[in-house]
Amino acid sequence: MRFRFGRNWLDFSRTVTAAEVEVARRSLLQGLDVESLEQKRFLDIGSGSGLFSLAAWQGGASEVKSFDFDGDSVKCTEEMRKRFAPEAGNWQIEQGSVLDAPYMQALGKFDVVYSWGVLHHTGDMWTAIEAAAERVAKDGHLFIAIYNDQGLLSEYWKCVKWLYNRAPLLQPALITAYYPYFVLLRKAVRILRRKRSLERGMSYYYDMVDWLGGYPFEVATPDQLTSFLAMRGFRLQKLRAVRWSSSGCNELIFRKN
């Protein structure tokens, strides 16, 4: 049983504007603490909407490689390229799986391997993280975001996600029940903080659907991720952690020693 992420991203992609693409580009470069991705190869594992593959290309990457397990996500990424970067001959888009070892091996090495909110949905998170790490070139960066481990609360959300996928007739009710928290409250908080949009150029509504439906679902703490990757030659360079009480992703950037 797996959520159809691509269907959600196809709906989202039709709403994307150039301004939101620019927000995504800035957030990517700021996350990596660089002004440009010039002369860097960029791999987007689980490209989803294609927004951050586009952000990497607009950020000057010499080569962008995008792939996703979900065929609709591949179509969505292709549509994003068609709309905003039709001349991007150095941006390749494929269907593939991070758990397909021969496919991953054939990709080669990249200066930046990016996988935001993807590897915990594969059904085999630690294998997926290791496969992503193996694609990082020497002195390159691994940029990942993984759901925070909240203990029993994570188990609660796992049940909600299972129910969302198992009982499609209940999906409208679940969306209605959680809409005030995931959309209205988040918007109100950002207005009070005088922030106009989400940092990554995403959408409150489609983020909510992605969260409610996102199954398979695995979690980890920043310490677990840091220890796991340290044994594979990576040093944590930046951590953006959510509070223990907050549902969401810990964002981590590692450098390969």
Side-chain angles (χ1 to χ4, degrees), residues 41 43-45 63 65-67 92 94 97-98 100-110 131 135:
R41 301 182 72 218
L43 176 64
D44 190 356
I45 297 177
E63 178 185 347
K65 184 85 167 187
S66 314
F67 75 87
Q92 299 179 4
E94 297 177 350
S97 170
V98 70
D100 184 340
Y103 173 78
M104 292 296 291
Q105 185 69 29
L107 291 175
K109 302 285 187 176
F110 293 80
R135 296 303 97 217

Side-chain angles (χ1 to χ4, degrees), residues 57-73:
W57 182 83
Q58 290 195 345
S62 60
E63 178 185 347
V64 177
K65 184 85 167 187
S66 314
F67 75 87
D68 202 294
F69 178 81
D70 190 310
D72 286 330
S73 289

